Amino acid sequence: MTWKCKMILVIVTLFYTGLGCYGYNWDEIKLYPEHIPFFFNNNPEIKNLCSVNETCPYKVALSMTKCWGYEKNCNVSNRMKTPLCDVEGQDGTVNLTSQLDMFWKQADFGYVNERLNEMKTLCTPNIQNDSSLDCVKYAQFCRGKNIYFDFRGANISQSKLRYREDIFKAGQIGGHCTLNKEALVAEKYENGLESWYPELEQFSTLKFIPNQRPQCEIVFHKPTYFVKLSSGISMYHRFCDIINLYIAQHLNNSFSTDVNIIMWDTSYLVFKDLFQSTWDTFTDHPVRPLRYYDAKRVCIKEVVFTFLPRMENGIYCKMPTVPGCQGSSMVHAFSQHLMHRLNISQEGPTKHSIRITLLSVNTRFKNILNRNEIIARLKTIKDAELKFVEYNVTMPFLEQIKISHNSDIFIGMNGEGLTHLLFQPDWAVIFEIHNCGDQFTYFNLSRLRGIKYMTWEKKEKMVQEDINRQPTTTNPELSNYSFDEFEFMRLIFKAAHYIRTNPNFIAAWKQKYGRRRMPAK
């Protein structure tokens, strides 16, 4: 063998082995360990690379047969978990089986399967590496390749409207592909927070291939996600936005953080985002507003138009709920994914105590008037770790999540802060002391997450007062309240008993402390 051949062999060997695994960087996966078998199932070529490389850290997952539930030929027994249904004959359902099927399709990974079955090609590529555009029904999610965006007439720098529908004219958005105009028009939907149709209405067949200069002043070679956010202040709505981005990743079969994220905000106004740190879950790069590309011609090699925040029948805002069902594996996986990517660890269960967090608010209404008395009662519980917190802008959001993730019982009045139930452990209780006339928001969200929901049970042991602390019958959201201390404690002990007897708590306790039996209660 000549020295040149030897040199080529050395280079090839370094290329395939020196990078980690035949050219694959395992550090880029960044998935919660329990999710690796699911990832391998959808990426068999990566699974094969792991099987032949000694440095792959996921060998234990190679023998596992797991699937999310939207894959073809996915056996029910191989799913992450199965939701539970225990009420028959409501909401038009005939039996538990039909209830479970409905819940699976509306609130679990069956939702992804339904959307995949809806996917239609609206612009068909003519040659290899050509443009393409595929969308689900009503263009609630779309993905495309080699797409052209001409923002020269958008005038974003002059607009205060966040969701304008006049950004493009014919020829200013499109691709080098054969457009089925009738199929595109059939997905017409006017609401900009429920559909991408207003942005795609002017999609055209172009004579040039995008990504080739001089047509493109900016070219994105990395996958690029467009998102619309309904709120950066409301935690409930902000995490509806975020979970939709997570679901979009499933449809795109990619959880890479080496992606661009662009906020489709058609105004020059700054979008105030109190939860900005959560973007680290999805991208390694700065999130850019659309105004960053005003007056530019942009070409994107791979683009995803993510699910929208106010979709009818979406997740979880405006979602119909199946009575008697709970425990969405999709919401469960989202919580695990977020905690893993944000490097927030579960420190419990503690050996002898239940971790209780009481959330206070510094607002005019929805206050606990006898808060000090309630806290004094809680401090008498010997086997409890207590935290009394106020989540506000002075406390970093990741610190808030860490507290919530390590709260067995999370207590608060009706309000945005109860959205933290998404991050509580699987055995947890969310205690909405009083719903203030909003009976279903956090009850339904807790059912999706699969944790126990509790609220005040005896109205005669609660006093509603106005801001002057006088009994009143005004709007329940515009009042403050006092609660019977002994009844409050009864509910706390009821919640603690639920936790100590919860199979998830028992399994986690035994795994951590290595005992067959837990200490006496």
Side-chain angles (χ1 to χ4, degrees):
M1 182 181 294
T2 65
W3 70 269
K4 289 184 178 180
C5 291
K6 291 181 179 179
M7 183 61 67
I8 292 173
L9 181 61
V10 169
I11 292 173
V12 170
T13 302
L14 288 173
F15 179 78
Y16 283 107
T17 62
L19 293 180
C21 181
Y22 295 88
Y24 193 84
N25 185 358
W26 297 108
D27 292 336
E28 291 182 355
I29 292 182
K30 301 178 184 177
L31 288 178
Y32 184 69
E34 186 180 328
H35 298 178
I36 296 297
F38 302 89
F39 175 77
F40 277 170
N41 180 62
N42 287 321
N43 297 274
E45 68 286 353
I46 298 176
K47 181 178 182 179
N48 290 336
L49 287 175
C50 181
S51 68
V52 298
N53 185 263
E54 294 180 358
T55 63
C56 174
Y58 305 115
K59 295 289 188 181
V60 68
L62 293 174
S63 59
M64 299 181 185
T65 305
K66 295 289 185 180
C67 49
W68 297 112
Y70 53 78
E71 303 89 340
K72 293 181 180 179
N73 302 319
C74 177
N75 192 293
V76 174
S77 62
N78 292 329
R79 295 176 183 173
M80 172 180 281
K81 59 184 293 189
T82 301
L84 299 176
C85 296
D86 58 11
V87 179
E88 295 190 60
Q90 298 185 31
D91 199 36
T93 57
V94 178
N95 53 43
L96 293 180
T97 301
S98 61
Q99 274 185 287
L100 181 59
D101 182 64
M102 188 183 301
F103 185 83
W104 173 255
K105 291 178 179 178
Q106 291 180 347
D108 214 317
F109 282 116
Y111 178 86
V112 176
N113 184 60
E114 294 290 293
R115 304 292 81 77
L116 286 170
N117 289 336
E118 290 175 358
M119 194 80 73
K120 294 180 181 178
T121 298
L122 302 181
C123 203
T124 305
N126 301 308
I127 58 176
Q128 189 175 6
N129 298 322
D130 215 349
S131 303
S132 65
L133 179 68
D134 304 308
C135 293
V136 304
K137 190 175 181 180
Y138 300 134
Q140 293 181 332
F141 168 93
C142 298
R143 59 189 177 199
K145 292 185 178 180
N146 298 321
I147 305 299
Y148 172 76
F149 301 85
D150 186 348
F151 295 109
R152 288 179 294 178
N155 295 320
I156 297 173
S157 61
Q158 306 297 319
S159 175
K160 292 184 179 181
L161 300 176
R162 294 200 180 276
Y163 307 110
R164 286 167 47 207
E165 299 180 0
D166 61 347
I167 293 295
F168 299 118
K169 296 180 175 62
Q172 293 184 324
I173 180 172
H176 189 264
C177 47
T178 301
L179 177 65
N180 185 337
K181 188 66 176 180
E182 291 183 359
L184 175 60
V185 173
E187 306 306 333
K188 186 174 182 178
Y189 205 99
E190 296 295 344
N191 192 323
L193 281 178
E194 296 189 63
S195 170
W196 288 99
Y197 181 83
E199 288 75 27
L200 297 173
E201 183 177 9
Q202 299 297 334
F203 196 92
S204 307
T205 296
L206 306 177
K207 294 182 179 180
F208 63 91
I209 300 177
N211 300 344
Q212 294 183 358
R213 296 181 183 274
Q215 286 87 356
C216 306
E217 297 169 90
I218 299 175
V219 178
F220 288 112
H221 295 285
K222 299 180 188 297
T224 300
Y225 288 74
F226 284 124
V227 298
K228 291 182 186 177
L229 301 185
S230 60
S231 176
I233 298 175
S234 164
M235 184 177 177
Y236 179 84
H237 288 289
R238 178 63 161 75
F239 275 85
C240 186
D241 300 336
I242 290 296
I243 196 170
N244 276 308
L245 177 54
Y246 175 69
I247 298 168
Q249 289 184 312
H250 277 276
L251 262 79
N252 203 42
N253 190 29
S254 174
F255 299 94
S256 173
T257 53
D258 189 19
V259 300
N260 301 306
I261 294 180
I262 299 175
M263 285 180 55
W264 194 279
D265 180 352
T266 58
S267 77
Y268 67 82
L269 300 173
V270 174
F271 188 90
K272 187 175 182 180
D273 187 357
L274 300 180
F275 317 101
Q276 190 170 358
S277 54
T278 55
W279 289 119
D280 293 341
T281 309
F282 300 98
T283 181
D284 298 325
H285 311 292
V287 176
R288 303 290 190 188
L290 196 63
R291 66 177 180 273
Y292 202 81
Y293 308 101
D294 192 25
K296 302 291 186 182
R297 290 172 294 174
V298 178
C299 292
I300 303 179
K301 186 175 181 180
E302 181 182 339
V303 61
V304 175
F305 300 84
T306 62
F307 286 108
L308 298 123
R310 298 297 178 95
M311 297 182 298
E312 203 68 40
N313 302 327
I315 303 285
Y316 46 79
C317 181
K318 301 178 74 172
M319 185 190 79
T321 54
V322 179
C325 294
Q326 66 172 346
S328 165
S329 60
M330 183 167 66
V331 177
H332 181 235
F334 167 70
S335 180
Q336 291 176 320
H337 183 76
L338 206 71
M339 295 302 96
H340 181 72
R341 287 279 176 94
L342 296 177
N343 196 30
I344 295 174
S345 59
Q346 175 53 246
E347 298 169 0
T350 56
K351 195 168 187 178
H352 300 292
S353 302
I354 297 294
R355 300 166 297 175
I356 302 174
T357 300
L358 174 63
L359 176 66
S360 296
V361 293
N362 185 19
T363 57
R364 186 180 180 187
F365 302 115
K366 297 184 181 180
N367 289 291
I368 305 173
L369 294 175
N370 59 334
R371 176 178 177 272
N372 291 337
E373 291 79 3
I374 293 292
I375 289 176
R377 288 290 177 185
L378 288 172
K379 287 182 177 179
T380 65
I381 304 175
K382 295 181 180 180
D383 56 349
E385 292 183 8
L386 304 175
K387 280 188 172 65
F388 310 106
V389 299
E390 181 181 321
Y391 289 167
N392 53 40
V393 294
T394 65
M395 180 185 289
F397 186 63
L398 292 187
E399 184 179 339
Q400 296 179 28
I401 293 181
K402 183 176 180 180
I403 293 172
S404 306
H405 188 51
N406 287 282
S407 297
D408 301 320
I409 304 174
F410 192 84
I411 310 167
M413 294 285 283
N414 173 269
E416 303 288 342
L418 295 185
T419 309
H420 278 270
L421 69 87
L422 289 170
F423 318 126
Q424 285 185 263
D426 295 341
W427 55 80
V429 171
I430 179 72
F431 180 16
E432 182 178 24
I433 307 173
H434 183 46
N435 58 42
C436 302
D438 179 7
Q439 299 181 39
F440 300 109
T441 297
Y442 298 104
F443 169 65
N444 287 336
L445 194 59
S446 68
R447 288 203 293 126
L448 284 177
R449 176 61 184 88
I451 65 171
K452 176 73 172 178
Y453 173 88
M454 290 178 59
T455 190
W456 198 257
E457 296 178 357
K458 298 180 180 180
K459 290 185 178 180
E460 70 275 12
K461 295 193 175 185
M462 171 187 76
V463 178
Q464 176 183 347
E465 299 176 313
D466 66 8
I467 199 63
N468 296 316
R469 300 196 178 193
Q470 297 297 322
T472 182
T473 57
T474 59
N475 185 335
E477 292 191 354
L478 304 179
S479 295
N480 297 312
Y481 298 83
S482 60
F483 301 90
D484 181 89
E485 301 161 29
F486 295 99
E487 175 64 11
F488 191 98
M489 293 298 288
R490 183 186 73 82
L491 293 172
I492 293 297
F493 287 123
K494 180 179 178 180
H497 176 75
Y498 169 84
I499 291 167
R500 291 189 183 279
T501 57
N502 186 289
N504 291 315
F505 178 85
I506 294 171
W509 196 96
K510 290 181 178 179
Q511 182 180 16
K512 183 174 182 180
Y513 299 108
R515 295 186 182 181
R516 293 186 178 182
R517 292 186 179 182
M518 295 173 59
K521 302 176 181 62

